[in-house]
mmCIF file of all heavy atoms in Angstrom:
data_model
loop_
_atom_site.group_PDB
_atom_site.id
_atom_site.type_symbol
_atom_site.label_atom_id
_atom_site.label_comp_id
_atom_site.label_asym_id
_atom_site.label_seq_id
_atom_site.Cartn_x
_atom_site.Cartn_y
_atom_site.Cartn_z
ATOM 1 N N PRO W 1 0.835 -1.205 0.000
ATOM 2 C CA PRO W 1 0.000 0.000 0.000
ATOM 3 C C PRO W 1 0.869 1.254 0.000
ATOM 4 O O PRO W 1 1.960 1.265 0.566
ATOM 5 C CB PRO W 1 -0.799 -0.112 1.295
ATOM 6 C CG PRO W 1 -0.060 -1.067 2.147
ATOM 7 C CD PRO W 1 0.754 -1.947 1.245
ATOM 8 N N VAL W 2 0.376 2.294 -0.655
ATOM 9 C CA VAL W 2 1.029 3.602 -0.657
ATOM 10 C C VAL W 2 -0.017 4.589 -0.160
ATOM 11 O O VAL W 2 -0.932 4.952 -0.899
ATOM 12 C CB VAL W 2 1.527 3.990 -2.069
ATOM 13 C CG1 VAL W 2 2.145 5.380 -2.047
ATOM 14 C CG2 VAL W 2 2.512 2.954 -2.600
ATOM 15 N N GLY W 3 0.092 4.949 1.093
ATOM 16 C CA GLY W 3 -0.930 5.798 1.700
ATOM 17 C C GLY W 3 -2.285 5.126 1.578
ATOM 18 O O GLY W 3 -2.399 3.906 1.627
ATOM 19 N N ALA W 4 -3.309 5.931 1.389
ATOM 20 C CA ALA W 4 -4.664 5.402 1.221
ATOM 21 C C ALA W 4 -5.131 5.526 -0.217
ATOM 22 O O ALA W 4 -6.295 5.296 -0.509
ATOM 23 C CB ALA W 4 -5.620 6.158 2.142
ATOM 24 N N TYR W 5 -4.223 5.851 -1.127
ATOM 25 C CA TYR W 5 -4.647 6.166 -2.489
ATOM 26 C C TYR W 5 -4.107 5.253 -3.578
ATOM 27 O O TYR W 5 -4.529 5.344 -4.734
ATOM 28 C CB TYR W 5 -4.274 7.609 -2.833
ATOM 29 C CG TYR W 5 -2.785 7.828 -3.001
ATOM 30 C CD1 TYR W 5 -2.205 7.775 -4.259
ATOM 31 C CD2 TYR W 5 -1.956 8.057 -1.912
ATOM 32 C CE1 TYR W 5 -0.844 7.964 -4.424
ATOM 33 C CE2 TYR W 5 -0.607 8.251 -2.066
ATOM 34 C CZ TYR W 5 -0.052 8.204 -3.331
ATOM 35 O OH TYR W 5 1.301 8.374 -3.479
ATOM 36 N N ALA W 6 -3.174 4.347 -3.248
ATOM 37 C CA ALA W 6 -2.537 3.567 -4.310
ATOM 38 C C ALA W 6 -1.864 2.322 -3.748
ATOM 39 O O ALA W 6 -1.759 2.140 -2.531
ATOM 40 C CB ALA W 6 -1.491 4.429 -5.027
ATOM 41 N N VAL W 7 -1.379 1.497 -4.678
ATOM 42 C CA VAL W 7 -0.517 0.373 -4.339
ATOM 43 C C VAL W 7 0.698 0.404 -5.263
ATOM 44 O O VAL W 7 0.652 0.950 -6.365
ATOM 45 C CB VAL W 7 -1.231 -1.002 -4.485
ATOM 46 C CG1 VAL W 7 -2.276 -1.188 -3.411
ATOM 47 C CG2 VAL W 7 -1.824 -1.194 -5.860
ATOM 48 N N ARG W 8 1.776 -0.173 -4.771
ATOM 49 C CA ARG W 8 2.974 -0.374 -5.586
ATOM 50 C C ARG W 8 3.027 -1.861 -5.876
ATOM 51 O O ARG W 8 3.046 -2.681 -4.954
ATOM 52 C CB ARG W 8 4.225 0.073 -4.833
ATOM 53 C CG ARG W 8 5.507 -0.126 -5.642
ATOM 54 C CD ARG W 8 6.744 0.286 -4.865
ATOM 55 N NE ARG W 8 6.652 1.592 -4.259
ATOM 56 C CZ ARG W 8 6.907 2.752 -4.880
ATOM 57 N NH1 ARG W 8 7.271 2.744 -6.140
ATOM 58 N NH2 ARG W 8 6.805 3.888 -4.231
ATOM 59 N N LEU W 9 3.019 -2.202 -7.144
ATOM 60 C CA LEU W 9 3.117 -3.599 -7.550
ATOM 61 C C LEU W 9 4.556 -3.908 -7.912
ATOM 62 O O LEU W 9 5.199 -3.135 -8.622
ATOM 63 C CB LEU W 9 2.215 -3.874 -8.755
ATOM 64 C CG LEU W 9 0.726 -3.582 -8.580
ATOM 65 C CD1 LEU W 9 -0.027 -3.887 -9.873
ATOM 66 C CD2 LEU W 9 0.139 -4.347 -7.415
ATOM 67 N N SER W 10 5.053 -5.026 -7.431
ATOM 68 C CA SER W 10 6.381 -5.509 -7.800
ATOM 69 C C SER W 10 6.198 -6.726 -8.689
ATOM 70 O O SER W 10 5.391 -7.613 -8.390
ATOM 71 C CB SER W 10 7.188 -5.899 -6.560
ATOM 72 O OG SER W 10 7.390 -4.782 -5.740
ATOM 73 N N PHE W 11 6.966 -6.756 -9.766
ATOM 74 C CA PHE W 11 6.857 -7.820 -10.760
ATOM 75 C C PHE W 11 8.122 -8.668 -10.763
ATOM 76 O O PHE W 11 9.188 -8.226 -10.320
ATOM 77 C CB PHE W 11 6.627 -7.216 -12.149
ATOM 78 C CG PHE W 11 5.341 -6.436 -12.247
ATOM 79 C CD1 PHE W 11 5.292 -5.092 -11.932
ATOM 80 C CD2 PHE W 11 4.165 -7.070 -12.641
ATOM 81 C CE1 PHE W 11 4.104 -4.369 -12.019
ATOM 82 C CE2 PHE W 11 2.977 -6.362 -12.720
ATOM 83 C CZ PHE W 11 2.947 -5.005 -12.402
ATOM 84 N N ASP W 12 7.998 -9.879 -11.294
ATOM 85 C CA ASP W 12 9.129 -10.808 -11.287
ATOM 86 C C ASP W 12 10.278 -10.382 -12.189
ATOM 87 O O ASP W 12 11.366 -10.935 -12.105
ATOM 88 C CB ASP W 12 8.676 -12.230 -11.619
ATOM 89 C CG ASP W 12 8.091 -12.383 -13.015
ATOM 90 O OD1 ASP W 12 7.750 -11.363 -13.668
ATOM 91 O OD2 ASP W 12 7.945 -13.537 -13.458
ATOM 92 N N ASP W 13 10.088 -9.361 -13.019
ATOM 93 C CA ASP W 13 11.185 -8.854 -13.846
ATOM 94 C C ASP W 13 11.968 -7.759 -13.115
ATOM 95 O O ASP W 13 12.847 -7.129 -13.691
ATOM 96 C CB ASP W 13 10.676 -8.343 -15.191
ATOM 97 C CG ASP W 13 9.788 -7.113 -15.080
ATOM 98 O OD1 ASP W 13 9.465 -6.674 -13.958
ATOM 99 O OD2 ASP W 13 9.406 -6.578 -16.143
ATOM 100 N N GLY W 14 11.636 -7.529 -11.834
ATOM 101 C CA GLY W 14 12.336 -6.534 -11.035
ATOM 102 C C GLY W 14 11.684 -5.159 -11.047
ATOM 103 O O GLY W 14 12.062 -4.286 -10.266
ATOM 104 N N HIS W 15 10.704 -4.947 -11.892
ATOM 105 C CA HIS W 15 10.041 -3.639 -11.959
ATOM 106 C C HIS W 15 9.182 -3.427 -10.717
ATOM 107 O O HIS W 15 8.341 -4.254 -10.384
ATOM 108 C CB HIS W 15 9.177 -3.548 -13.218
ATOM 109 C CG HIS W 15 8.430 -2.257 -13.314
ATOM 110 N ND1 HIS W 15 9.055 -1.081 -13.623
ATOM 111 C CD2 HIS W 15 7.131 -1.964 -13.113
ATOM 112 C CE1 HIS W 15 8.158 -0.108 -13.620
ATOM 113 N NE2 HIS W 15 6.984 -0.621 -13.311
ATOM 114 N N ASP W 16 9.420 -2.296 -10.046
ATOM 115 C CA ASP W 16 8.605 -1.980 -8.867
ATOM 116 C C ASP W 16 8.504 -0.474 -8.639
ATOM 117 O O ASP W 16 8.285 -0.026 -7.520
ATOM 118 C CB ASP W 16 9.136 -2.676 -7.619
ATOM 119 C CG ASP W 16 10.505 -2.167 -7.198
ATOM 120 O OD1 ASP W 16 11.097 -1.321 -7.901
ATOM 121 O OD2 ASP W 16 10.992 -2.616 -6.145
ATOM 122 N N THR W 17 8.642 0.321 -9.690
ATOM 123 C CA THR W 17 8.644 1.779 -9.528
ATOM 124 C C THR W 17 7.319 2.434 -9.904
ATOM 125 O O THR W 17 7.176 3.644 -9.749
ATOM 126 C CB THR W 17 9.768 2.432 -10.355
ATOM 127 O OG1 THR W 17 9.568 2.122 -11.739
ATOM 128 C CG2 THR W 17 11.130 1.953 -9.892
ATOM 129 N N GLY W 18 6.371 1.680 -10.393
ATOM 130 C CA GLY W 18 5.097 2.278 -10.773
ATOM 131 C C GLY W 18 4.082 2.246 -9.647
ATOM 132 O O GLY W 18 3.947 1.246 -8.958
ATOM 133 N N LEU W 19 3.401 3.356 -9.458
ATOM 134 C CA LEU W 19 2.298 3.403 -8.498
ATOM 135 C C LEU W 19 0.992 3.225 -9.255
ATOM 136 O O LEU W 19 0.806 3.789 -10.334
ATOM 137 C CB LEU W 19 2.268 4.740 -7.762
ATOM 138 C CG LEU W 19 3.443 5.045 -6.862
ATOM 139 C CD1 LEU W 19 3.218 6.376 -6.159
ATOM 140 C CD2 LEU W 19 3.676 3.944 -5.850
ATOM 141 N N TYR W 20 0.102 2.465 -8.676
ATOM 142 C CA TYR W 20 -1.199 2.207 -9.270
ATOM 143 C C TYR W 20 -2.246 2.788 -8.336
ATOM 144 O O TYR W 20 -2.622 2.167 -7.337
ATOM 145 C CB TYR W 20 -1.405 0.695 -9.453
ATOM 146 C CG TYR W 20 -0.444 0.104 -10.463
ATOM 147 C CD1 TYR W 20 0.866 -0.189 -10.117
ATOM 148 C CD2 TYR W 20 -0.849 -0.124 -11.773
ATOM 149 C CE1 TYR W 20 1.751 -0.710 -11.050
ATOM 150 C CE2 TYR W 20 0.032 -0.649 -12.712
ATOM 151 C CZ TYR W 20 1.324 -0.937 -12.340
ATOM 152 O OH TYR W 20 2.201 -1.448 -13.265
ATOM 153 N N SER W 21 -2.671 4.020 -8.637
ATOM 154 C CA SER W 21 -3.696 4.668 -7.812
ATOM 155 C C SER W 21 -5.020 3.953 -8.035
ATOM 156 O O SER W 21 -5.215 3.232 -9.023
ATOM 157 C CB SER W 21 -3.826 6.141 -8.190
ATOM 158 O OG SER W 21 -4.417 6.262 -9.476
ATOM 159 N N TRP W 22 -5.951 4.168 -7.120
ATOM 160 C CA TRP W 22 -7.281 3.575 -7.281
ATOM 161 C C TRP W 22 -7.921 4.092 -8.567
ATOM 162 O O TRP W 22 -8.574 3.336 -9.280
ATOM 163 C CB TRP W 22 -8.156 3.864 -6.072
ATOM 164 C CG TRP W 22 -7.554 3.470 -4.752
ATOM 165 C CD1 TRP W 22 -7.581 4.202 -3.604
ATOM 166 C CD2 TRP W 22 -6.856 2.257 -4.428
ATOM 167 N NE1 TRP W 22 -6.933 3.517 -2.602
ATOM 168 C CE2 TRP W 22 -6.476 2.325 -3.080
ATOM 169 C CE3 TRP W 22 -6.490 1.122 -5.159
ATOM 170 C CZ2 TRP W 22 -5.774 1.318 -2.435
ATOM 171 C CZ3 TRP W 22 -5.790 0.110 -4.521
ATOM 172 C CH2 TRP W 22 -5.442 0.203 -3.181
ATOM 173 N N ASP W 23 -7.718 5.379 -8.873
ATOM 174 C CA ASP W 23 -8.263 5.942 -10.111
ATOM 175 C C ASP W 23 -7.669 5.240 -11.335
ATOM 176 O O ASP W 23 -8.374 4.928 -12.288
ATOM 177 C CB ASP W 23 -7.989 7.443 -10.206
ATOM 178 C CG ASP W 23 -8.820 8.267 -9.245
ATOM 179 O OD1 ASP W 23 -9.812 7.746 -8.697
ATOM 180 O OD2 ASP W 23 -8.470 9.452 -9.047
ATOM 181 N N LEU W 24 -6.351 5.016 -11.313
ATOM 182 C CA LEU W 24 -5.704 4.344 -12.439
ATOM 183 C C LEU W 24 -6.209 2.913 -12.575
ATOM 184 O O LEU W 24 -6.542 2.471 -13.680
ATOM 185 C CB LEU W 24 -4.181 4.344 -12.271
ATOM 186 C CG LEU W 24 -3.392 3.565 -13.329
ATOM 187 C CD1 LEU W 24 -3.644 4.114 -14.726
ATOM 188 C CD2 LEU W 24 -1.916 3.554 -13.006
ATOM 189 N N LEU W 25 -6.291 2.182 -11.472
ATOM 190 C CA LEU W 25 -6.775 0.799 -11.548
ATOM 191 C C LEU W 25 -8.217 0.745 -12.047
ATOM 192 O O LEU W 25 -8.566 -0.136 -12.844
ATOM 193 C CB LEU W 25 -6.647 0.113 -10.183
ATOM 194 C CG LEU W 25 -5.220 -0.249 -9.785
ATOM 195 C CD1 LEU W 25 -5.164 -0.658 -8.324
ATOM 196 C CD2 LEU W 25 -4.659 -1.341 -10.685
ATOM 197 N N HIS W 26 -9.026 1.688 -11.624
ATOM 198 C CA HIS W 26 -10.405 1.733 -12.115
ATOM 199 C C HIS W 26 -10.418 2.003 -13.617
ATOM 200 O O HIS W 26 -11.118 1.331 -14.379
ATOM 201 C CB HIS W 26 -11.220 2.789 -11.354
ATOM 202 C CG HIS W 26 -12.659 2.771 -11.716
ATOM 203 N ND1 HIS W 26 -13.205 3.645 -12.637
ATOM 204 C CD2 HIS W 26 -13.670 1.964 -11.319
ATOM 205 C CE1 HIS W 26 -14.482 3.374 -12.773
ATOM 206 N NE2 HIS W 26 -14.797 2.358 -11.986
ATOM 207 N N ASP W 27 -9.631 2.976 -14.063
ATOM 208 C CA ASP W 27 -9.546 3.285 -15.489
ATOM 209 C C ASP W 27 -9.041 2.084 -16.284
ATOM 210 O O ASP W 27 -9.579 1.769 -17.356
ATOM 211 C CB ASP W 27 -8.619 4.479 -15.730
ATOM 212 C CG ASP W 27 -8.468 4.779 -17.212
ATOM 213 O OD1 ASP W 27 -9.406 5.351 -17.804
ATOM 214 O OD2 ASP W 27 -7.411 4.419 -17.775
#
């Protein structure tokens, strides 16, 4: 979790710098 507005997803390729806000996930 990132605050109350997003999550940070980590992937098996090492990528973990993108934030996925609730608005983005809904979109």
Side-chain angles (χ1 to χ4, degrees):
V2 178
Y5 70 95
V7 290
R8 180 182 310 276
L9 302 179
S10 298
F11 298 89
D12 63 345
D13 66 355
H15 178 73
D16 66 356
T17 60
L19 295 183
Y20 294 80
S21 70
W22 306 137
D23 288 345
L24 175 60
L25 287 169
H26 186 262
D27 177 76

